[in-house]
Amino acid sequence: MKDFKSGFVAVIGRPNVGKSTLLNTIIGQKIVIATDKAQTTRKRIKGIFTNEEGQIVFIDTPGIHKPVDKLGEFLMDEAKCSIPDADLILFIVDVSEPAGAGDKWIVENLLKKTNIPVIIVLNKVDKLKDPIKKEQNLLTYKLLFDKNMPTAKISAQTGRNIDTLISTIMRKLPEGAPIYAEDDLTDESMRSIAQEIIREKILLNTKDEIPHSVAVIIERYEEKNDIDRIYAQIHVEHDSQKGIMIGKKGQMLKTIGMQARKELEKMLDKKVYLELNVKVSKDWRKKTPDLENWV
């Protein structure tokens, strides 16, 4: 394919700046879960965008923050590992706020230590109506770097300027054959997607310490023509959390299961049987040696 572009683009930024929302908007389908809670994204997930110009393989990464336990260290490593193999880095920031200590840490410890080109993507332009304030905030991000960096102003939520961002990325990628098939949207398995959707419904329905203390493991996934049967274990760290997860007369677990099942049925276009169980695995975030199987 003459002049066809292809390459890997790492999506880096603090928690809750809209990385996962951006990826879902670009792909045109939900492939990564997105909530307003920190640590929603716990592992690198590829989203594949293909048009007549080329193919962009986005690598969505966990929000970068100072780790306080083994899970935090794992999330940091997941983000760091996406950088060396990337052809381009999108540094996603929230333009409705000036640059903070977290943004500065990312630039100093990750982005200044690589020769890979970076675009500062200023997300949430729809949240800030004052154009002067917007430019002032933009300047605080540009000043984090030693040289002038290209920027893009977008809204991942509304889709504003996403086409312009795609064109900018394509221009910066090398020529090459497609890496994945034209109709591929992700390389995640349905088992992995089911695990993430269940965890998303937990994050959306619970509060306080539950979202950070929960892990979902698919014990069994049986795929048939007319129905998929999914058996999942929800792990929490304390007995009190188990009670919250199950809820009065089992209502919380029932709500989470119903919401997850409906979304999976819509995605798969067939019936889904979903069985959820809750187990206490004390301090799993600190003690689990094989964290990659838990996130």
Side-chain angles (χ1 to χ4, degrees):
M1 289 187 187
K2 193 184 176 187
D3 299 334
F4 192 87
K5 302 289 196 78
S6 67
F8 292 91
V9 176
V11 184
I12 301 286
R14 288 184 296 108
N16 294 336
V17 292
K19 299 183 299 297
S20 299
T21 303
L22 173 61
L23 192 52
N24 288 335
T25 300
I26 289 172
I27 302 303
Q29 186 173 312
K30 183 171 166 183
I31 58 164
V32 238
I33 64 173
T35 77
D36 60 359
K37 295 185 171 73
Q39 295 187 3
T40 297
T41 302
R42 286 183 172 174
K43 59 186 176 182
R44 285 170 287 160
I45 294 176
K46 291 193 183 88
I48 304 154
F49 173 87
T50 309
N51 65 12
E52 65 281 352
E53 288 183 74
Q55 185 176 85
I56 307 168
V57 182
F58 291 95
I59 307 164
D60 187 31
T61 63
I64 297 173
H65 62 289
K66 191 175 179 181
V68 294
D69 51 31
K70 279 189 184 296
L71 175 60
E73 289 170 10
F74 176 82
L75 300 185
M76 176 69 78
D77 287 343
E78 282 289 283
K80 279 183 177 176
C81 286
S82 70
I83 292 175
D85 295 330
D87 298 288
L88 179 68
I89 297 168
L90 300 185
F91 177 37
I92 314 292
V93 302
D94 180 352
V95 76
S96 69
E97 303 170 354
D103 299 294
K104 185 176 181 182
W105 192 94
I106 293 170
V107 172
E108 293 295 330
N109 292 276
L110 298 178
L111 303 183
K112 280 187 177 178
K113 294 185 175 180
T114 178
N115 293 320
I116 296 163
V118 175
I119 299 175
I120 306 172
V121 178
L122 301 127
N123 190 24
K124 306 190 184 182
V125 291
D126 52 314
K127 279 181 67 178
L128 190 59
K129 305 303 179 192
D130 184 345
I132 295 172
K133 185 66 178 166
K134 206 177 285 184
E135 289 306 311
Q136 287 172 341
N137 288 352
L138 163 58
L139 187 59
T140 65
Y141 290 104
K142 293 186 88 165
L143 288 173
L144 295 177
F145 294 87
D146 299 327
K147 57 185 179 181
N148 195 31
M149 305 297 287
T151 61
K153 295 177 193 169
I154 65 152
S155 169
Q157 195 71 50
T158 67
R160 181 173 164 185
N161 294 339
I162 297 296
D163 288 348
T164 306
L165 177 62
I166 292 289
S167 299
T168 304
I169 292 169
M170 286 291 189
R171 284 197 300 272
K172 292 179 178 292
L173 290 184
E175 287 187 15
I179 300 160
Y180 291 92
E182 188 180 329
D183 55 353
D184 283 352
L185 300 178
T186 183
D187 64 350
E188 292 291 301
S189 66
M190 263 321 295
R191 188 186 188 105
S192 176
I193 289 169
Q195 176 180 309
E196 285 291 275
I197 285 172
I198 295 163
R199 191 166 64 83
E200 180 190 54
K201 303 314 173 192
I202 294 169
L203 297 185
L204 292 172
N205 284 283
T206 60
K207 54 186 179 180
D208 300 326
E209 79 279 11
I210 297 288
H212 304 298
S213 303
V214 74
V216 177
I217 294 181
I218 305 296
E219 301 282 325
R220 209 157 85 241
Y221 193 120
E222 298 172 358
E223 197 174 338
K224 304 227 171 125
N225 288 335
D226 56 341
I227 189 168
D228 280 12
R229 296 181 181 274
I230 305 167
Y231 302 83
Q233 188 87 260
I234 298 168
H235 294 262
V236 292
E237 294 189 307
H238 306 293
D239 289 324
S240 60
Q241 294 169 345
K242 182 176 180 179
I244 294 167
M245 274 298 318
I246 293 171
K248 192 175 180 182
K249 295 184 178 177
Q251 193 55 48
M252 177 63 80
L253 196 62
K254 197 178 290 182
T255 298
I256 289 163
M258 180 189 67
Q259 290 178 1
R261 179 180 55 76
K262 283 185 174 178
E263 184 156 337
L264 286 164
E265 286 182 337
K266 189 177 175 185
M267 191 176 281
L268 290 162
D269 198 24
K270 64 175 169 178
K271 288 284 183 188
V272 168
Y273 170 82
L274 178 61
E275 185 176 297
L276 302 178
N277 289 295
V278 185
K279 180 180 179 182
V280 177
S281 299
K282 195 163 174 58
D283 296 332
W284 68 265
R285 286 180 294 173
K286 296 175 185 172
K287 296 177 179 176
T288 306
D290 57 339
L291 269 176
E292 66 272 13
N293 297 323
W294 283 60
V295 299

